[in-house]
Amino acid sequence: MARRAAGRFLGWFRPDRSAGGPGLQQQLHQAVQRAVLSRELLPGERLPSSRALASDLGVSRNTVVAAIERLVLEGYLEVRRGAGVFVATDIVPDVVRPEAAPSPGLSDRAGGFAGLHAEGEFGVTARASSLGLPALDEFPIELWRKLAQQALRRRPKLVLGPGDPQGLPELRAALARYLSDTRGVVCTAQTIVIVSGAQQALDLIGRLLLDPGDTVAVEDPGYLGVRQALAGTGARLAPVAVDDQGFDPAALLGLKIVPKLAVLTPSHQFPLGMTLPLARRLALLKIARDSGIWIVEDDYDCEYRYSGPPLQALQGLDGGSRVLYVGTFSKVLYPGFRLGYVVLPPDLVEGFVRIKAVADGYAPNWPQAILTAFLAEGHMAQHVRRMRTLYRQRRTALLAALDHHAAGLLRPRRSEAGLHLVAEFADGRDDLAAAKAAAGAGLGIAPLSKYAMTRRLSGLLLGFAATPAPEMDAAAQRLVAALR
């Protein structure tokens, strides 16, 4: 009798007793849930007794009772006193079948990201020549741990409590001093906002300043993250070709529509590596003031210059009226830190902070507190000096290895800053295929062409910061072998 009573269940429920899967109670719960929603079990249908189900399904009665009690609490089943357990009568059918109704589709905003992806930009794998990856094995981890413990011990309520959307005041004050001393940035604690990395900074700037249809001038080739961040705003990207001196301000005047925003990397153009000369900086600022254009200065890798002192930040020349200055600690500290900052013209601070608060509330307090001490106690300046020496040695080793092993195949650009070099193919080959071949040899190398919008480029971006100098020659040999 029990087998006939439970027969409806035997056709579609097969207990899986293998290790690692959900327990039998969870399996039975899910099976009945699916059967009810798909109308394999009909509304008002009576279930067999728990004893009959347990016997026919080969599970304990306690397992059956616990699953049924949960399904009753969730509304899939109902108990009728003196009659038994029944399928609830108010269940909407077919809600779990994807073919039951057409997908509502993505929003127009999400559609703006079509064709864009973050491969090679985020989630970097720690491999030889990985683009933008710093020397993680050289990070002062013991000092960092000490500062973390001190922050938690001395200010537990600050570390564990809610935060300020603009960022910890102490961090913003320390950062203002650091940026003023090292980059000539004109700022105060009141004009700085702490964000979750440069990528969020670009996204929030787009939300603050751009409406659908607005034109944004971007470097070509240029950083993919800029295009990704602006894509969802509905902005129209106007590529400005980069020449041997970098971004050409005159090209702004040649665009069909005056852009509302221009985003560039003047200290170390990404990806080609040149530094925007002073004459162009001044010309750009004049055009911005005369035409009402906002300038976003992405000052990535600004700490690592290997020949002479860096030029003052564009924002410092401007005085902070038309330039929004973006920086991050992902390269100078470590990628997983996920803190950055924006220095804003005073009139934009309030609106930016409101958008930041809506986006994710605030940046975590604990890393902010650690970074405050790291800056205020002089550890940041010491770390940058040490790493600059180390990276100069690794850059020199990479150039020497390429000259020795890749002559006639790759032509390195002699950039004087940053954590990577661009090496162009002498024969103009398909650099996407070349980068794939390099990946097969364990090298994390990006193709130059993927950063271009309108130009045909052929080359590779070679990171050197994460590879010790003695290993650079072997890495170059592996690369050349993969390419040939």
Side-chain angles (χ1 to χ4, degrees):
M1 264 320 266
R3 181 165 295 278
R4 289 196 298 272
R8 289 287 306 278
F9 288 80
L10 295 177
W12 45 264
F13 179 66
R14 292 290 184 270
D16 179 7
R17 291 177 169 82
S18 62
L24 293 176
Q25 181 191 133
Q26 178 72 5
Q27 292 179 46
L28 181 58
H29 170 273
Q30 293 173 348
V32 175
Q33 181 189 58
R34 287 193 298 268
V36 169
L37 292 174
S38 63
R39 295 220 165 183
E40 293 181 68
L41 291 175
L42 298 174
E45 182 174 350
R46 184 179 182 276
L47 270 66
S49 69
S50 60
R51 190 182 305 277
L53 282 172
S55 174
D56 281 0
L57 299 177
V59 299
S60 73
R61 189 181 178 195
N62 287 340
T63 295
V64 174
V65 170
I68 289 176
E69 288 178 347
R70 180 177 169 188
L71 289 159
V72 170
L73 287 173
E74 293 173 345
Y76 294 98
L77 305 177
E78 58 188 25
V79 178
R80 299 178 189 174
R81 188 178 300 274
V85 178
F86 296 79
V87 177
T89 57
D90 57 354
I91 297 294
V92 178
D94 298 326
V95 296
V96 295
R97 295 186 179 181
E99 68 276 15
S103 169
L106 302 177
S107 68
D108 290 341
R109 176 181 173 85
F113 293 91
L116 296 177
H117 57 87
E119 183 181 353
E121 297 295 311
F122 313 110
V124 176
T125 302
R127 297 188 292 181
S129 299
S130 291
L131 179 62
L133 190 68
L136 300 180
D137 56 333
E138 296 290 338
F139 183 74
I141 191 68
E142 292 303 322
L143 171 62
W144 194 258
R145 182 183 291 115
K146 175 184 175 182
L147 296 178
Q149 292 171 343
Q150 289 178 351
L152 186 59
R153 183 175 64 252
R154 295 174 181 175
R155 307 185 68 184
K157 291 184 178 180
L158 172 70
V159 169
L160 302 178
D164 182 343
Q166 190 168 353
L168 291 184
E170 307 96 309
L171 173 57
R172 291 187 277 114
L175 187 56
R177 291 191 293 271
Y178 177 78
L179 293 175
S180 176
D181 292 343
T182 62
R183 299 295 295 120
V185 172
V186 177
C187 62
T188 66
Q190 288 70 42
T191 59
I192 295 176
V193 181
I194 304 300
V195 294
S196 300
Q199 192 65 25
Q200 187 188 51
L202 295 168
D203 175 64
L204 298 181
I205 288 171
R207 299 194 213 184
L208 178 70
L209 298 179
L210 299 174
D211 292 312
D214 284 343
T215 298
V216 180
V218 295
E219 296 171 313
D220 184 20
Y223 180 50
L224 283 181
V226 171
R227 293 172 359 220
Q228 292 162 345
L230 300 177
T233 68
R236 297 178 179 176
L237 302 184
V240 174
V242 173
D243 62 21
D244 288 340
Q245 296 187 72
F247 191 93
D248 185 0
L252 292 178
L253 301 177
L255 296 176
K256 294 181 179 178
I257 301 176
V258 176
K260 190 170 185 179
L261 191 69
V263 186
L264 62 153
T265 50
S267 294
H268 179 225
Q269 199 279 328
F270 186 91
L272 298 180
M274 67 282 290
T275 299
L276 194 68
L278 179 60
R280 286 198 174 186
R281 293 173 181 240
L282 296 174
L284 177 64
L285 291 177
K286 184 178 188 308
I287 291 171
R289 292 167 186 154
D290 293 345
S291 305
I293 301 171
W294 293 107
I295 304 294
V296 176
E297 178 180 14
D298 182 358
D299 209 21
Y300 90 105
D301 282 358
C302 63
E303 295 87 358
Y304 299 123
R305 185 170 180 82
Y306 309 113
S307 178
L311 292 177
Q312 182 182 19
L314 190 65
Q315 192 272 359
L317 292 175
D318 168 61
S321 62
R322 299 302 305 176
V323 177
L324 293 76
Y325 181 89
V326 175
T328 178
F329 297 102
S330 295
K331 305 290 180 62
V332 69
L333 296 178
Y334 56 92
F337 190 51
R338 301 313 305 153
L339 282 187
Y341 53 89
V342 185
V343 180
L344 296 155
D347 292 345
L348 299 183
V349 173
E350 182 179 353
F352 188 95
V353 172
R354 285 200 303 266
I355 296 174
K356 164 67 178 172
V358 171
D360 66 350
Y362 48 84
N365 285 337
W366 197 5
Q368 290 191 70
I370 302 169
L371 180 59
T372 300
F374 198 71
L375 282 166
E377 296 176 13
H379 304 303
M380 176 72 83
Q382 181 180 5
H383 177 64
V384 168
R385 286 195 299 270
R386 189 171 72 89
M387 300 311 291
R388 188 185 294 125
T389 299
L390 179 70
Y391 293 153
R392 181 186 290 112
Q393 294 170 352
R394 295 183 175 186
R395 172 181 171 275
T396 300
L398 174 58
L399 286 170
L402 291 175
D403 287 345
H404 182 67
H405 297 290
L409 176 63
L410 289 167
R411 294 191 296 255
R413 283 178 168 263
R414 306 281 169 160
S415 172
E416 296 300 327
L419 304 183
H420 78 272
L421 291 174
V422 168
E424 295 172 300
F425 281 111
D427 56 8
R429 69 177 61 189
D430 180 356
D431 61 1
L432 293 172
K436 185 176 181 180
L443 301 169
I445 290 173
L448 178 59
S449 63
K450 85 171 187 176
Y451 300 99
M453 298 178 67
T454 62
R455 307 169 63 184
R456 187 185 184 283
L457 299 173
S458 173
L460 299 174
L461 275 66
L462 308 175
F464 54 79
T467 304
E471 300 176 14
M472 205 68 76
D473 194 78
Q477 290 186 60
R478 293 210 319 271
L479 172 61
V480 172
L483 296 179
R484 289 177 172 165

